[in-house]
């Protein structure tokens, strides 16, 4: 891959970030640049990045934001920076993962055929982490796909993204626009992959490239895992359905009755998560708050999708 830029978004997880940067140094093939977007962290994130830059082994570019604009805002800024600097491929990831030594080479063998892909991941215990979904447009929800999707092929067609290792060609990112910062957290990566899938095949590839290092409480339901969450995440899971509906509308795929059913399913899933994983229903208020906010977004007649990104006249230096 030529001009591969990794885009990492971090917020108050300096030790996880340090581990991730160290894993970049162990890659057999490294990105041409690592753009670290710091959402105004109040811990020692700046010191971790400064040490990595001073060591000289990694091509790190540090973008410290003046306020926390969420993971969605961080990825929006990171993609903007990378595109402006002449990236031809973007590798998008959170701070609580590490990259495996042969990851870039493993992904590179698929880049001649695909412009957007997600590699496989291990969980914190080193076991394969389940992630294979499909976005059901009629319902406006993503559902897990059961079974061995790689039984007959090393690629599994999907229509969603994931910012724990999603690889996307810069020309495609320009066409679909920057990740939408209005999501703040959650749904942003799924919809970014869905937007890509409106233009080109998006695939989940049979190559382990990422390991999650942040342990999470979870319940194995066989067909999927339910992880722990937070009131903030629960609120935005429901709130951001307003933005999801608007994107579906723009593409002529919004079904009011189906979307309402999908919203009920989303609410029910979050209640099940509360009961089974966190053994509490105290977070139900956050779900209700998010749903009410989603109604306002859905009613906004001035809502517009993220615009395409014009090609830069010349790459920025730095």
């Amino acid at each position: 891959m030529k001009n591969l830029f990794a885009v990492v978004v971090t917020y108050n997880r300096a030790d996880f970030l340090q581990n991730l940067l160290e894993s970049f140094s162990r890659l057999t093939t490294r990105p041409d640049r690592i753009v670290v977007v710091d959402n105004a962290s109040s811990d020692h994130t700046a010191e971790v990045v400064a040490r990595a830059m001073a060591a000289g082994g990694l091509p790190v570019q540090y973008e410290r934001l003046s306020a926390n604009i969420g993971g969605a805002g961080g990825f929006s800024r990171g993609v903007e920076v990378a595109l402006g600097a002449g990236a031809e491929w973007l590798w998008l990831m959170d701070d609580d993962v590490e990259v495996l030594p042969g990851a870039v080479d493993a992904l590179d063998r698929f880049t001649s055929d695909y412009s957007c892909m997600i590699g496989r991941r291990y969980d914190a215990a080193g076991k394969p982490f389940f992630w294979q979904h499909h976005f059901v447009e009629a319902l406006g929800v993503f559902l897990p796909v059961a079974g061995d999707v790689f039984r007959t092929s090393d690629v599994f067609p999907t229509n969603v993204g994931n910012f724990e290792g999603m690889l996307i060609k810069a020309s495609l990112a320009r066409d679909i626009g920057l990740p939408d910062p209005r999501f703040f957290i959650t749904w942003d990566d799924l919809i970014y992959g869905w937007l890509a899938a409106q233009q080109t095949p998006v695939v989940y590839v049979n190559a382990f490239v990422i390991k999650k290092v942040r342990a999470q409480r979870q319940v194995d339901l066989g067909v999927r895992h339910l992880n722990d969450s937070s009131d903030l995440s629960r609120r935005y899971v429901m709130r951001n359905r307003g933005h999801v509906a608007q994107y579906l509308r723009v593409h002529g795929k919004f079904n009011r009755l189906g979307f309402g059913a999908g919203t009920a399913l989303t609410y029910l899933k979050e209640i099940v998560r509360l009961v089974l994983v966190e053994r509490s229903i105290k977070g139900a208020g956050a779900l209700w708050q998010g749903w009410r906010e989603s109604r306002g977004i859905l009613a906004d007649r001035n809502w517009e999708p993220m615009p395409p990104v014009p090609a830069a006249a010349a790459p920025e230096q730095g």
Side-chain angles (χ1 to χ4, degrees):
M1 274 175 284
K2 186 178 179 182
N3 291 333
L4 170 64
F5 280 45
V7 175
V8 177
V9 176
T10 189
Y11 175 63
N12 279 346
R13 294 202 290 218
D15 293 337
F16 283 123
L17 177 64
Q18 179 172 321
N19 180 73
L20 173 56
L21 292 176
E22 289 173 353
S23 73
F24 275 117
S25 69
R26 296 190 293 269
L27 287 173
T28 51
T29 300
R30 298 179 185 176
D32 296 279
R33 191 176 302 185
I34 303 167
V35 179
V36 176
V37 181
D38 179 2
N39 257 322
S41 296
S42 58
D43 63 0
H44 55 290
T45 291
E47 290 80 0
V48 166
V49 177
R51 286 197 300 269
M53 296 175 71
L58 293 175
V60 176
Q61 178 175 344
Y62 185 41
E63 294 286 322
R64 179 175 170 82
L65 304 180
S66 60
N68 178 13
I69 56 176
F75 280 110
S76 188
R77 176 56 182 159
V79 170
E80 180 181 32
V81 168
L83 292 177
E88 295 185 36
W89 285 92
L90 309 169
W91 197 14
L92 312 177
M93 65 189 71
D94 290 327
D95 55 5
D96 60 346
V97 301
E98 63 183 38
V99 292
L100 303 183
V104 173
D105 300 312
L107 291 172
D108 192 32
R109 71 186 184 95
F110 297 98
T111 56
S112 60
D113 296 317
Y114 301 100
S115 299
C116 186
M117 69 193 73
I118 305 102
R120 300 185 70 178
R121 293 172 288 164
Y122 293 113
D123 65 15
K127 298 179 180 179
F129 181 82
F130 178 90
W131 190 85
Q132 50 201 48
H133 292 98
H134 185 80
F135 184 63
V136 181
E137 295 165 347
L139 298 174
V141 299
F142 57 98
L143 297 177
V145 179
D148 181 5
V149 298
F150 299 117
R151 183 170 55 85
T152 59
S153 173
D154 280 339
V155 297
F156 165 63
T158 184
N159 63 350
V160 293
N162 188 289
F163 289 165
E164 287 186 352
M166 177 176 170
L167 182 71
I168 184 169
K169 200 168 187 177
S171 58
L172 176 58
R174 289 187 183 279
D175 286 345
I176 64 177
L178 302 176
D180 194 332
R182 292 172 293 187
F183 283 103
F184 191 72
I185 58 170
T186 196
W187 284 103
D188 52 327
D189 49 355
L190 292 156
I191 292 301
Y192 203 58
W194 180 77
L195 290 171
Q198 304 313 296
Q199 299 196 22
T200 189
V202 174
V203 293
Y204 181 44
V205 298
N206 190 16
F208 283 96
V209 297
I210 294 282
K211 179 183 177 183
K212 294 177 67 71
V213 295
R214 181 171 64 92
Q216 292 180 271
R217 287 181 296 164
Q218 64 179 20
V219 172
D220 186 351
L221 300 180
V223 71
R224 68 167 299 151
H225 292 101
L226 282 179
N227 294 326
D228 58 359
S229 187
S230 67
D231 280 352
L232 184 67
S233 179
R234 279 184 278 274
R235 172 189 165 195
Y236 277 89
V237 161
M238 296 302 296
R239 171 193 180 273
N240 287 341
R241 288 194 59 73
H243 292 304
V244 172
Q246 292 283 22
Y247 272 107
L248 286 168
R249 276 179 170 168
V250 167
H251 290 269
K253 298 182 178 181
F254 179 68
N255 180 309
R256 181 174 294 276
L257 290 177
F259 193 84
T263 297
L265 287 172
T266 302
Y267 185 87
L268 178 61
K269 183 188 76 172
E270 293 304 315
I271 291 295
V272 170
R273 187 196 308 274
L274 279 169
V275 173
L276 294 184
V277 182
E278 302 181 40
R279 302 186 183 282
S280 170
I281 58 170
K282 291 182 179 178
L287 296 173
W288 176 253
Q289 179 186 358
W291 178 80
R292 293 184 63 184
E293 291 172 341
S294 76
R295 305 304 296 168
I297 297 170
L298 190 59
D300 183 2
R301 296 182 179 273
N302 296 316
W303 190 97
E304 294 287 342
M306 294 295 287
V309 181
E316 296 175 358
Q317 301 298 313

